[in-house]
């Protein structure tokens, strides 16, 4: 499952310093964090709207939600890359939380 994430991380790392004219990811990095965050927000909104459509929709609406979620995850990974972080840190955090009640985990967070 994480194989695609690992492969994507390699590509994101390579493209962080690539020519912005040759790579969409490089162009986002070149435009800076605010542009990347704008894209994350845009994709989050599109995923939310697609989820609303998928709730009572058919297969096309469900596939649209999958596509929008992929866009959101992708742009989130670009954001992490821009900040010098990678997907493994997120996977490690999810692994740390696994098996812990969501209520307990949230209560244990620093205020």
């Amino acid at each position: 499952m994480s194989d695609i994430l690992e492969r994507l991380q390699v590509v994101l790392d390579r493209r962080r310093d690539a020519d912005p004219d040759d790579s969409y990811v490089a162009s986002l990095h070149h435009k800076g964090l605010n542009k990347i965050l704008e894209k994350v927000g845009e994709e989050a909104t599109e995923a939310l709207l697609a989820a609303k459509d998928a709730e009572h929709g058919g297969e096309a609406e469900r596939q649209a939600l999958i596509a929008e979620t992929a866009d959101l995850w992708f742009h989130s990974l670009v954001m992490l890359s821009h900040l010098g972080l990678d997907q493994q840190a997120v996977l490690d955090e999810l692994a740390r939380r696994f098996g812990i009640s969501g209520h307990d985990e949230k209560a244990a967070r620093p205020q």
Side-chain angles (χ1 to χ4, degrees), residues 30-60:
H30 181 75
K31 292 173 185 174
L33 182 61
N34 284 343
K35 181 60 177 179
I36 295 167
L37 296 177
E38 180 183 306
K39 287 300 296 180
V40 171
E42 175 186 317
E43 299 301 343
T45 298
E46 290 175 4
L48 293 172
L49 294 172
K52 292 295 287 179
D53 291 342
E55 182 178 27
H56 299 293
E59 188 58 27

Side-chain angles (χ1 to χ4, degrees), residues 53-54 56-66:
D53 291 342
H56 299 293
E59 188 58 27
E61 289 79 12
R62 296 174 73 74
Q63 287 302 313
L65 174 57
I66 290 168

Side-chain angles (χ1 to χ4, degrees), residues 3-4 7 16-17 19 29 33 40 50-51 55 79 83 91-92 95-96 99 101:
D3 179 56
I4 189 63
R7 291 173 37 212
R16 185 171 42 216
D17 298 316
D19 184 340
H29 285 295
L33 182 61
V40 171
E55 182 178 27
M79 174 189 65
L83 296 170
L91 295 174
D92 291 346
R96 183 191 69 77
S101 159

Side-chain angles (χ1 to χ4, degrees), residues 75-89:
H75 286 89
S76 295
L77 292 172
V78 173
M79 174 189 65
L80 290 171
S81 173
H82 189 79
L83 296 170
L85 300 167
D86 67 30
Q87 48 88 11
Q88 190 58 52

